[in-house]
Amino acid sequence: MNDRMNHECVRCRKIITPVGRYTAGYNTCITCGDAISQSTTRCVVPMHKSNYTLVTRKSDLIGINTKGGK
Ligand SMILES: [Zn+2]
C-alpha cells in the first residue's frame, strides 16, 4: 500500500493532515471540519424500535416528536 497517498479536503482542496484524520472517515481538513460541524445541527435521538438515529435536519426531529403527544 502507498501510505504517502494524499487526500484533498473536499471543501478547500488542501491536503488533509494528519492522514489518520482521513482514515477515520473525514474528507475535510480540520479547519473545514470544524466549520461544518458548527454549521450543522446534529443530535442523536433515541428511537423506540431501532438504535440511536443520527438526525441532521430539524424537520426530522420535529417529525419524530409528533408521536409523543402533547
Ligand atoms: Zn478544508
Side-chain angles (χ1 to χ4, degrees):
M1 293 293 284
N2 179 11
D3 61 2
R4 297 204 52 128
M5 204 158 85
N6 291 325
H7 300 284
E8 289 181 351
C9 169
V10 295
R11 202 156 171 263
C12 69
R13 298 288 181 191
K14 284 200 287 191
I15 302 303
I16 297 170
T17 54
V19 175
R21 179 176 168 79
Y22 180 85
T23 56
Y26 291 94
N27 56 5
T28 58
C29 68
I30 290 173
T31 303
C32 293
D34 284 349
I36 291 168
S37 68
Q38 283 173 18
S39 64
T40 305
T41 303
R42 282 195 176 192
C43 63
V44 176
V45 180
M47 299 293 285
H48 296 295
K49 296 173 184 174
S50 61
N51 291 326
Y52 285 80
T53 303
L54 183 64
V55 175
T56 55
R57 290 185 305 174
K58 208 168 185 178
S59 58
D60 289 344
L61 197 59
I62 293 167
I64 291 165
N65 281 341
T66 55
K67 284 186 176 178
K70 291 181 181 174

